[in-house]
Amino acid sequence: MSRSALAVLARGLALVALLVLSPARAARQRPNVVLILTDDQDVFLGGMTPMKKTNALIAQMGVTFLNAYVPSALCCPSRASILTGKYPHNHHVVNNTLEGNCSSKSWQKIQEPNTFPALLKSMCGYQTFFAGKYLNEYGAEDAGGVSHVPPGWSFWYALEKNSKYYNYTLSVNGKARRHGENYSVDYLTDVLANMSLDFLEYKSNFEPFFMMISTPAPHSPWTAAPQYKNSFQNVSAPRNSNFNIHGKNKHWLIRQAKTPMTNSSIQFLDDAYRKRWQTLLSVDDLVEKLVKKLENHGELDNTYIFYTSDNGFHTGQFSLPIDKRQLYEFDIKVPLLVRGPGIKPNQTNKMLVANIDLGPTILDIAGYDLNKTQMDGMSLLPLLRGDKNVTWRSDFLVEYQGEGYNGSDPTCPGLGPGVTHCFPDCVCEDSYNNTYACVRTMSTSWDLQYCEFDDREVFVEVYNLTADPHQINNIAKTIDQEILEKMNYRLMMLQSCSGATCRTPGVFDPGYRFDPRLMFSNHGVRARRFSTRSLSSI
């Protein structure tokens, strides 16, 4: 064959290669996304303090959201909100039980096919990887066991049930794999790190990827890696102004806590606080390994990394020893750090953001049309890019349906039926009528929280966080009546919102319109409380 013929053939082959490879090449140019989700990591009480590497590698290289919240301060409803981009009243996961729709057959049928990872895989061509805790009842026999792999995941390494560090079962693409208590091969945080590094090593290089790594830390039982068991020996829980005080003028569940706390309760919560920090050091190592791997593969500059938690936590506030589930800042406020393409280093952002925004943001990064979704959240991408004149929300909804036993708790028979998570000194952290909904609002005028309980009292709590950041003084009886009426109306609207109607102007936005007549319609707030109907009707 002549040299000219060879040249023509070479040009032809190059053209064919270009035509064949260009879609993959175009896909490969889309950013990768990593979402690291911790379990019960607060930000209000110093939960990010031990995360030196994470702060250096994500926060200092990107943006820290100073006002990031969850719409429900409990693992399963919060995780469902992350996956669906919806408020609990729209995804119907109300607590950590199968009866509360946590990983139930109803959840699997109705919500899972429409989660953002499912859309990333089916509509955006992303390879998707999950490792760690999914939903608290995942793997339950009545919900299909560990053989159930939710739609949308190319690689699935999910923990059966709730957080553990040793002696657990993973679903490895639908097959059960049992782990024991040998640190070198079984410590779950390290196992998740190693699985993540293996994925990055062996994944396809012709598709963008999404990774969700969901660690057990710092959830109980707070089992630290051996090398960290002696860390923070001089650390105790913060003694801030709402520590070990009586929750006067609050819902009865808060008022029932005994003040002052017993010495044994204080010792217990201090010990838990230290152990929580110890478990986080392994998460810090995971972040470092992941960032180094991405850098070594030349993919760090094209990868967004999100770091957040499913809810906050309290240790002694209003004399409640340890838990979450309450409406206060220490339980609903979470860390949110993001680095990635186009994000300037060492940035902070004060906008009011929520975990329902994560799904829309990641789909927006992938180039998906958000108008095709029914998500309640907003894309953070304009904030990440530093766009000017961004129209943003001034409020969002917090909602929770309390849990309780039908019978009396043996530790606290005097409180009667309906309480749960009780301590030996008869302080209970939850109850059936710990069922509430709040509007959390931030504007130039107010830093305010308005809450209503679905109980016989129809109890109301209101806090001005500008004057009272620790939410000690309930001002429901002294605040201007017009503000109360507007907040009550706004709560009604948010409790019945869906999709775009969840993003309408808040009470203190210029575009807000208040019609008092609607407060007395048949669509009032109490009609919108969580229903006790069976899940089969959802």
Side-chain angles (χ1 to χ4, degrees):
M1 187 179 292
S2 68
R3 177 177 279 179
S4 59
L6 282 171
V8 170
L9 178 60
R11 282 196 295 270
L13 290 172
L15 180 61
V16 170
L18 183 63
L19 291 171
V20 171
L21 291 176
S22 57
R25 234 179 231 170
R28 195 63 194 87
Q29 293 306 309
R30 282 178 292 163
N32 309 306
V33 183
V34 177
L35 171 59
I36 301 166
L37 178 66
T38 56
D39 196 347
D40 288 0
Q41 186 177 9
D42 70 277
V43 71
F44 198 77
L45 299 174
M48 284 300 296
T49 304
M51 311 298 291
K52 306 299 184 189
K53 298 172 184 176
T54 301
N55 279 309
L57 294 170
I58 303 181
Q60 292 176 27
M61 300 304 295
V63 59
T64 299
F65 285 90
L66 301 177
N67 294 304
Y69 290 86
V70 295
S72 189
L74 189 62
C75 301
C76 207
S78 181
R79 289 161 185 267
S81 286
I82 290 172
L83 291 163
T84 62
K86 296 178 182 179
Y87 283 120
H89 69 262
N90 287 328
H91 62 57
H92 304 293
V93 178
V94 296
N95 56 41
N96 284 346
T97 66
L98 278 176
E99 295 75 20
N101 204 24
C102 181
S103 206
S104 69
K105 290 286 190 181
S106 173
W107 157 266
Q108 293 172 17
K109 179 181 178 182
I110 298 171
Q111 301 298 337
E112 278 188 343
N114 300 302
T115 60
F116 80 85
L119 295 174
L120 278 179
K121 187 172 187 291
S122 64
M123 306 304 294
C124 304
Y126 273 63
Q127 51 191 321
T128 55
F129 169 91
F130 181 89
K133 175 178 170 179
Y134 178 57
L135 301 176
N136 296 57
E137 286 296 323
Y138 172 76
E141 188 175 339
D142 292 345
V146 295
S147 62
H148 171 68
V149 178
W153 298 103
S154 315
F155 302 92
W156 179 251
Y157 303 95
L159 177 68
E160 179 189 39
K161 300 282 185 86
N162 204 2
S163 281
K164 294 182 179 180
Y165 298 83
Y166 294 110
N167 298 311
Y168 55 87
T169 297
L170 290 180
S171 171
V172 179
N173 298 317
K175 302 292 184 183
R177 178 189 292 172
R178 182 71 185 164
H179 280 260
E181 49 189 353
N182 180 340
Y183 169 71
S184 63
V185 294
D186 295 319
Y187 189 70
L188 182 54
T189 306
D190 292 352
V191 169
L192 301 181
N194 293 334
M195 287 176 167
S196 302
L197 299 181
D198 285 346
F199 168 74
L200 291 174
E201 187 68 35
Y202 299 112
K203 65 177 174 55
S204 165
N205 289 323
F206 296 102
E207 297 171 313
F209 62 83
F210 168 70
M211 304 176 70
M212 184 169 177
I213 306 162
S214 183
T215 72
H219 195 285
S220 62
W222 315 304
T223 310
Q227 66 271 30
Y228 296 133
K229 283 188 174 179
N230 294 318
S231 302
F232 309 120
Q233 287 303 303
N234 297 320
V235 168
S236 19
R239 269 47 172 181
N240 52 20
S241 58
N242 58 13
F243 179 84
N244 200 15
I245 65 169
H246 186 253
K248 61 181 180 179
N249 299 320
K250 289 179 166 49
H251 187 244
W252 78 267
L253 184 67
I254 309 300
R255 298 197 305 267
Q256 58 86 35
K258 293 176 174 57
T259 306
M261 290 185 288
T262 62
N263 290 337
S264 59
S265 285
I266 293 176
Q267 184 178 348
F268 176 74
L269 69 86
D270 278 340
D271 189 48
Y273 191 88
R274 278 190 296 273
K275 288 179 177 177
R276 283 163 51 78
W277 274 23
Q278 290 167 2
T279 66
L280 284 168
L281 293 177
S282 293
V283 181
D284 214 28
D285 291 340
L286 181 155
V287 170
E288 181 184 45
K289 292 172 187 174
L290 193 71
V291 170
K292 283 185 176 178
K293 189 75 167 181
L294 289 166
E295 188 172 27
N296 291 339
H297 279 234
E299 296 181 298
L300 184 59
D301 290 342
N302 193 40
T303 301
Y304 288 91
I305 304 176
F306 293 75
Y307 183 97
T308 192
S309 171
D310 57 2
N311 48 254
F313 206 71
H314 57 258
T315 46
Q317 283 60 49
F318 305 123
S319 299
L320 297 171
I322 56 160
D323 199 47
K324 50 264 185 178
R325 304 165 202 268
Q326 308 308 332
L327 56 88
Y328 308 104
E329 294 285 282
F330 43 73
D331 283 359
I332 64 172
K333 196 169 189 177
V334 292
L336 178 57
L337 320 174
V338 192
R339 68 170 290 171
I343 303 177
K344 295 178 181 178
N346 282 311
Q347 298 293 306
T348 57
N349 188 293
K350 294 183 179 179
M351 293 294 195
L352 188 60
V353 302
N355 70 1
I356 56 172
D357 300 331
L358 293 173
T361 303
I362 293 169
L363 288 174
D364 199 10
I365 287 170
Y368 188 72
D369 182 359
L370 297 180
N371 293 322
K372 295 180 179 179
T373 76
Q374 294 298 312
M375 294 183 173
D376 304 332
M378 305 169 67
S379 171
L380 301 175
L381 198 51
L383 302 183
L384 296 176
R385 290 172 173 163
D387 293 356
K388 304 297 182 185
N389 302 318
V390 176
T391 301
W392 201 254
R393 68 162 70 86
S394 64
D395 64 15
F396 78 99
L397 176 69
V398 180
E399 50 190 354
Y400 176 64
Q401 179 169 311
E403 294 180 69
Y405 295 124
N406 289 328
S408 297
D409 190 290
T411 359
C412 302
L415 287 177
V419 295
T420 187
H421 293 82
C422 299
F423 285 82
D425 50 354
C426 197
V427 174
C428 300
E429 294 275 3
D430 206 2
S431 66
Y432 277 133
N433 67 359
N434 183 38
T435 296
Y436 57 81
C438 307
V439 181
R440 180 72 177 90
T441 187
M442 287 185 187
S443 71
T444 53
S445 309
W446 284 97
D447 187 356
L448 186 74
Q449 187 172 18
Y450 172 91
C451 302
E452 292 185 11
F453 283 83
D454 187 18
D455 60 7
R456 290 179 183 176
E457 292 181 280
V458 195
F459 198 80
V460 176
E461 294 188 30
V462 183
Y463 298 98
N464 175 359
L465 283 95
T466 303
D468 180 23
H470 294 288
Q471 297 168 290
I472 294 169
N473 301 308
N474 179 8
I475 59 171
K477 293 181 180 178
T478 59
I479 196 171
D480 186 89
Q481 185 65 26
E482 183 181 356
I483 293 178
L484 280 181
E485 290 176 358
K486 286 183 176 181
M487 297 306 292
N488 173 261
Y489 172 56
R490 180 61 176 162
L491 184 61
M492 285 192 254
M493 298 299 100
L494 285 174
Q495 281 193 282
S496 59
C497 78
S498 179
T501 60
C502 297
R503 305 188 289 273
T504 55
V507 168
F508 298 106
D509 289 333
Y512 177 76
R513 296 291 177 266
F514 174 52
D515 184 351
R517 293 171 299 178
L518 293 176
M519 293 174 60
F520 306 101
S521 71
N522 293 327
H523 305 288
V525 64
R526 288 185 251 309
R528 283 296 309 162
R529 294 296 185 198
F530 287 115
S531 173
T532 54
R533 60 189 170 164
S534 68
L535 288 171
S536 60
S537 65
I538 290 176

